[in-house]
Amino acid sequence: MAPVTHNRGRGRGRLALAAVGTITALGLAGCGFGGDEDEPAPAEETAEPVDAAPLLEQALADLADYPALTADGQVAHTVGGDIQETTVTVADGGATSGTVRANGVEAEMIAADSKIFLRAGEEFWLDKNVFGPDSDQFDGAWVRSSTAQAGINPQNTLAPPALAAILEEIGLEGDEAVEETLDDTRAYKVDLNGERNQLWIDAETNQVLRVEVEELVPEGGENGPQVRLDIAQADEAAAEELYDNLTTVTEEELTGSRDARVEVSWDGQPEMECVDGPHCTWSGTVRDAGASGSGTVLVRMDVTFTQDQIGDEECSDSGSLEAGGSLALSCDANYNIVTSEPKTYEDIQGEARLSTRGLSGGQQEEMLAALAEQREATLAGDAEESEGAEESEGAEAQETEGE
């Protein structure tokens, strides 16, 4: 992990090596992305193809109504990019919990309210080539992360309604769906527009079983991840457990989280100055030192002034640093020592440490409110569906009695 960066200064004066993992870039459907060993096999008895359009329409309508889904398989942030294993549960509002795994190193992932957090060991962040002033604090802690670092943003690609809409937008390549055996399950293979886009639908339940898409582009986006994922419906109990866990983590664990989305660094050398008092000031500018930063990161500067005779004084400043931008920080500390005769204190030293915050107090409240709202909507949707089913069953019973 990159070492902690300290800046030191003296009164009246001006004041990282990462190991990169190797992951083979694979393709989809016959070009790698997991190999051919588990490719679907044709059914022993060749069945007649079926009309793909109504089959797909019904499967996507069912998918859009899931309270939550589980997705398990392989994801690359970009077409042909580095592959990682991904297992997530995603609610219809986008709330997510799961894991990502690359080079044998696993990270926990949660996502909600347009935010993604990862928790992993040091090796994971070394593979991500992350540099930051507080990257020594990432090991085993929740870190706010970019879509590129997570490999995928499940909120806008794998939430059941979002996934259904993306697949519908891709559209059909052919008019027929062919029956195949997928993991001992009878399924229909549906070819979508694009050379490597396809999905499989359970022949019995008419539910989507697997999705292989070269670029899963969310609504309003220009690009998206390459995916090969097995999909299954998650029930209401799983959705409730998901929301319970996310709420607990947000309340108890995210206030101390860090942020890896922007590479924060000093722009030049900060300045330190001390005048009679002694009254010391530290000022400097931080910038995004990377080439692929995203979002706006909360940056904090903590400064300690030290003199052997009079001890320490501290000050701090914080602000928001946008990706590609810069931020001026400044703070001062006044020893305010009163003596009968003016006295000059020499050899006052200063030390500054930069750090990031993944979530402010206000953002935490907003995230909890979003989770509560999404949870209510998810469970209300299930309740309405159940009520509708009961009414339908009642109507069928009446019709039967009438006959």
Side-chain angles (χ1 to χ4, degrees):
M1 188 66 68
V4 181
T5 302
H6 292 279
N7 289 84
R8 299 178 182 274
R10 189 175 297 275
R12 299 186 183 277
R14 286 183 175 270
L15 309 173
L17 177 64
V20 180
T22 56
I23 311 176
T24 304
L26 303 176
L28 275 172
C31 294
F33 215 37
D36 299 329
E37 67 276 2
D38 60 350
E39 287 296 314
E44 291 183 5
E45 296 183 6
T46 303
E48 291 294 325
V50 300
D51 191 356
L55 181 71
L56 180 63
E57 181 180 359
Q58 183 59 55
L60 294 185
D62 290 347
L63 174 61
D65 286 338
Y66 289 180
L69 62 74
T70 59
D72 182 24
Q74 298 170 312
V75 168
H77 174 56
T78 56
V79 178
D82 294 340
I83 302 303
Q84 63 185 28
E85 302 295 325
T86 301
T87 302
V88 290
T89 300
V90 189
D92 54 4
T96 301
S97 179
T99 60
V100 296
R101 186 177 185 87
N103 282 343
V105 181
E106 187 171 275
E108 297 175 70
M109 176 170 65
I110 61 171
D113 195 28
S114 301
K115 300 173 181 65
I116 302 172
F117 291 85
L118 299 174
R119 180 164 66 179
E122 181 181 48
E123 300 86 352
F124 179 86
W125 295 109
L126 291 176
D127 278 347
K128 296 298 180 181
N129 202 25
V130 171
F131 297 91
D134 54 356
S135 55
D136 64 317
Q137 301 295 311
F138 289 2
D139 186 15
W142 286 111
V143 179
R144 190 168 174 184
S145 307
S146 66
T147 299
Q149 290 160 347
I152 190 172
N153 184 350
Q155 299 169 100
N156 59 18
T157 52
L158 296 182
L163 179 58
I166 294 170
L167 296 173
E168 182 179 16
E169 181 66 22
I170 295 174
L172 282 170
E173 173 73 21
D175 296 330
E176 295 181 336
V178 179
E179 184 174 322
E180 295 184 346
T181 299
L182 180 67
D183 298 330
D184 299 323
T185 301
R186 287 180 55 244
Y188 288 108
K189 178 185 175 184
V190 177
D191 290 325
L192 303 176
N193 284 321
E195 183 180 354
R196 300 176 184 174
N197 296 333
Q198 52 204 342
L199 58 79
W200 284 260
I201 297 173
D202 191 307
E204 299 295 332
T205 66
N206 205 45
Q207 292 186 324
V208 176
L209 292 175
R210 177 176 292 174
V211 174
E212 290 189 6
V213 175
E214 189 168 38
E215 195 169 14
L216 200 66
V217 181
E219 182 179 0
E222 297 181 357
N223 48 57
Q226 188 177 17
V227 303
R228 183 187 187 188
L229 296 168
D230 291 332
I231 304 296
Q233 180 177 359
D235 59 18
E236 180 181 339
E240 286 197 81
E241 182 179 1
L242 170 66
Y243 283 115
D244 285 343
N245 291 340
L246 288 175
T247 299
T248 299
V249 170
T250 303
E251 287 179 334
E252 300 178 1
E253 301 179 35
L254 294 188
T255 52
S257 62
R258 305 293 176 163
D259 200 323
R261 295 174 299 151
V262 170
E263 186 179 327
V264 181
S265 178
W266 288 109
D267 187 5
Q269 288 294 323
E271 298 181 5
M272 172 182 161
E273 183 178 10
C274 291
V275 296
D276 289 344
H279 185 184
C280 296
T281 301
W282 185 289
S283 60
T285 299
V286 295
R287 65 184 179 91
D288 177 4
S292 59
S294 65
T296 301
V297 173
L298 300 175
V299 180
R300 179 182 172 93
M301 176 185 73
D302 289 285
V303 181
T304 301
F305 299 101
T306 303
Q307 209 277 342
D308 290 341
Q309 293 181 349
I310 57 178
D312 298 346
E313 285 289 337
E314 298 177 346
C315 67
S316 64
D317 192 17
S318 61
S320 299
L321 174 64
E322 294 185 9
S326 61
L327 170 68
L329 296 172
S330 179
C331 70
D332 65 282
N334 193 347
Y335 283 84
N336 199 24
I337 297 175
V338 179
T339 59
S340 57
E341 296 181 3
K343 185 175 182 180
T344 300
Y345 294 92
E346 298 180 351
D347 198 31
I348 298 178
Q349 296 182 338
E351 180 181 12
R353 173 167 180 152
L354 296 175
S355 59
T356 60
R357 295 293 182 270
L359 205 65
S360 68
Q363 289 173 332
Q364 181 190 39
E365 293 178 2
E366 291 172 358
M367 190 166 171
L368 288 170
L371 284 168
E373 183 178 350
Q374 289 177 19
R375 178 188 184 121
E376 183 178 356
T378 297
L379 301 184
D382 289 342
E384 291 172 3
E385 184 176 334
S386 299
E387 291 172 3
E390 291 174 0
E391 291 175 0
S392 177
E393 291 172 0
E396 290 177 1
Q398 290 178 358
E399 289 175 2
T400 303
E401 291 173 1
E403 292 175 357

